[in-house]
Amino acid sequence: RGSLGGTCLNVGCIPSKALLNSSHMYEHAKHDFKKHGIIVKDVDFDLGKMMGAKDKAVRQLTGGIEFLFKKYGVDYVKGWGKLTGANQVTADLTEGGEQVLNTKNILIATGSEVAPLPPCPVDNDAGRIVDSTGALSLKEVPK
C-alpha cells in the first residue's frame, strides 16, 4: 500500500490523535484560557495547517520506521504478496513487475480495510459520506 507503518500510523490512530490534539488546543484557547487569566481575542483555526501538522507527524513516524529498517538490515517489499513455497513469497510490486523472495523469515503485514455499509456507500472524494480515511483529509469542517 503506500507507506510503512500500517493503518494505525498512516490513516488511523496517529493522524486521528494529531487532529484531536489540535482540536483540543483550539477548544482550550477558545474556552479555557480565560479561566487561567490568559486572554486571547479572535481565536480561529486554519484547517489546512492542522492537516499539515497531522501529515508531518505521520511522515516523521513512517520515516522513523524506514530508518530503523535500514539500521537493522530489514528488507521490505511494497506490493501484494502470496506464499509460493515454504520459504518463498512472490510479490506483485506496487510499481509494476514481480519479485520472488526466498528467505528464512517472512513477516506478512496484511493491513486492514474499512468495512462497507451497503445502505450508505462511502464516497471520500465527494466528502458527503466518508470513512475514517476520508475524514482525515476533509477540506473543510462538516456543518
Side-chain angles (χ1 to χ4, degrees):
R1 301 203 189 160
S3 307
L4 293 171
T7 299
C8 181
L9 176 51
N10 287 283
V11 292
C13 312
I14 300 301
S16 297
K17 289 181 179 179
L19 284 176
L20 190 59
N21 185 49
S22 294
S23 298
H24 281 261
M25 285 190 217
Y26 171 71
E27 180 72 13
H28 286 302
K30 191 108 171 141
H31 301 287
D32 297 332
F33 281 10
K34 62 186 165 205
K35 296 174 190 172
H36 299 277
I38 302 168
I39 308 303
V40 181
K41 295 181 180 174
D42 301 324
V43 176
D44 202 358
F45 66 91
D46 180 330
L47 184 61
K49 286 187 179 178
M50 284 179 152
M51 292 295 192
K54 169 203 49 120
D55 294 341
K56 181 180 178 184
V58 170
R59 273 193 313 276
Q60 287 175 325
L61 291 170
T62 57
I65 293 171
E66 189 162 8
F67 169 79
L68 290 172
F69 273 21
K70 286 179 185 175
K71 180 178 178 179
Y72 293 104
V74 176
D75 295 323
Y76 67 95
V77 174
K78 292 182 182 179
W80 295 93
K82 59 184 168 215
L83 296 172
T84 50
N87 295 68
Q88 186 178 75
V89 174
T90 301
D92 292 326
L93 303 175
T94 302
E95 296 181 4
E98 183 178 275
Q99 183 175 351
V100 176
L101 302 143
N102 294 296
T103 184
K104 178 182 170 190
N105 299 305
I106 299 170
L107 172 68
I108 302 171
T110 61
S112 64
E113 292 187 14
V114 175
L117 186 60
C120 303
V122 169
D123 187 351
N124 286 331
D125 293 332
R128 188 125 170 99
I129 299 176
V130 297
D131 58 20
S132 56
T133 302
L136 293 170
S137 49
L138 290 171
K139 303 293 184 234
E140 59 186 38
V141 176
K143 304 281 184 240

